[in-house]
């Protein structure tokens, strides 16, 4: 039976779990995963400050043949990259109200032609499409070294099926 993971009020099926022991390993894994991802997908990124969300996205953009440098959109809210499909990189860290979230216009970036990558997605749970993907990055310095991350690839359990 599939393992179910509960995050932010949603149920996710665990697709893959791995331990990364370096930035390079995270980037390589993210690039390989992104190469298999169809256009039109939305990916929510869970994990604390500095857990590696933007680093994973940097790998994904490389794997999607992205041409632009990836930077954290903490202040710009959304970065756009060109790749094998348009890529939108959204960071909702500073969005602390539904009014502000409405101004971001997340729905403009979720469409069948594009890939939408969302850091700090908790406030936008109701905007995420059914069956969306997620990546959760965890670090526990008591158990692991400073360059070690637990990476879980997830897919929202679509209750319509
Ligand atoms: N195995 C690893 N995988 C990913 N990042 C790692 C790893 N080991 C160390 N790091 C470091 O952890 C930091 C991750 O930063 P990053 O900006 O990707 O995190 P973030 O989750 O996007 O943070 P924020 O919540 O501030 O947006 C970087 O400094 C990176 O070099
Ligand atoms: Mg980040």
């Amino acid at each position: 039976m599939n393992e179910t993971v509960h995050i932010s009020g949603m149920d996710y099926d665990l697709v893959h779990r791995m331990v990364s022991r370096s930035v390079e390993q995270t980037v390589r894994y993210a690039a390989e995963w992104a190469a298999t991802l169809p256009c039109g997908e939305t990916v929510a990124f869970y994990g604390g400050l500095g857990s590696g969300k933007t680093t994973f996205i940097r790998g994904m953009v490389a794997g999607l043949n992205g041409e632009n440098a990836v930077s954290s959109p903490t202040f710009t809210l959304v970065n756009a990259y060109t790749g094998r499909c348009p890529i939108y990189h959204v960071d909702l860290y500073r969005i602390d109200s539904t009014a502000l979230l409405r101004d971001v216009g997340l729905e403009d970036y979720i469409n069948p032609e594009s890939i939408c990558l969302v850091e700090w997605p908790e406030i936008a749970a109701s905007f995420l499409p059914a069956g969306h993907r997620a990546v959760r990055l965890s670090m526990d310095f008591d158990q692991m070294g400073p360059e070690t991350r637990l990476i879980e690839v997830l897919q929202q359990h679509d209750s319509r099926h």
Side-chain angles (χ1 to χ4, degrees):
M1 217 183 86
N2 284 345
E3 187 175 334
T4 301
V5 177
H6 308 279
I7 312 173
S8 192
M10 288 178 288
D11 286 347
Y12 289 98
D13 293 326
L14 180 67
V15 177
H16 190 60
R17 179 182 276 145
M18 63 93 73
V19 174
S20 165
R21 301 212 176 271
S22 67
V23 170
E24 294 70 30
Q25 203 181 345
T26 298
V27 166
R28 194 178 336 115
Y29 178 75
E32 286 170 8
W33 183 63
T36 69
L37 202 65
C39 299
E41 294 285 340
T42 298
V43 187
F45 287 85
Y46 298 101
L49 283 170
S51 60
K53 301 178 294 295
T54 303
T55 301
F56 193 100
I57 288 169
R58 181 157 57 83
M60 284 189 71
V61 170
L64 292 163
N65 301 322
E67 292 174 356
N68 325 64
V70 171
S71 62
S72 181
T74 304
F75 294 96
T76 55
L77 303 181
V78 185
N79 288 346
Y81 314 115
T82 49
R84 74 172 154 80
C85 35
I87 307 158
Y88 297 108
H89 176 190
V90 184
D91 188 333
L92 301 178
Y93 182 67
R94 299 171 67 83
I95 304 299
D96 57 5
S97 72
T98 45
L100 277 176
L101 181 60
R102 218 173 299 125
D103 292 343
V104 176
L106 188 59
E107 61 278 13
D108 294 346
Y109 306 108
I110 298 175
N111 60 66
E113 286 79 40
S114 308
I115 288 183
C116 183
L117 311 172
V118 187
E119 294 190 50
W120 298 101
E122 286 84 350
I123 197 165
S126 63
F127 287 84
L128 300 174
H132 64 271
R133 319 290 186 114
V135 173
R136 178 165 68 174
L137 295 118
S138 330
M139 42 183 180
D140 180 346
F141 293 111
D142 293 337
Q143 305 286 328
M144 312 196 273
E147 286 205 56
T148 305
R149 301 289 187 275
L150 178 67
I151 299 177
E152 292 167 304
V153 174
L154 310 160
Q155 183 158 20
Q156 195 203 14
H157 186 78
D158 189 347
S159 53
R160 293 172 309 175
H161 294 303

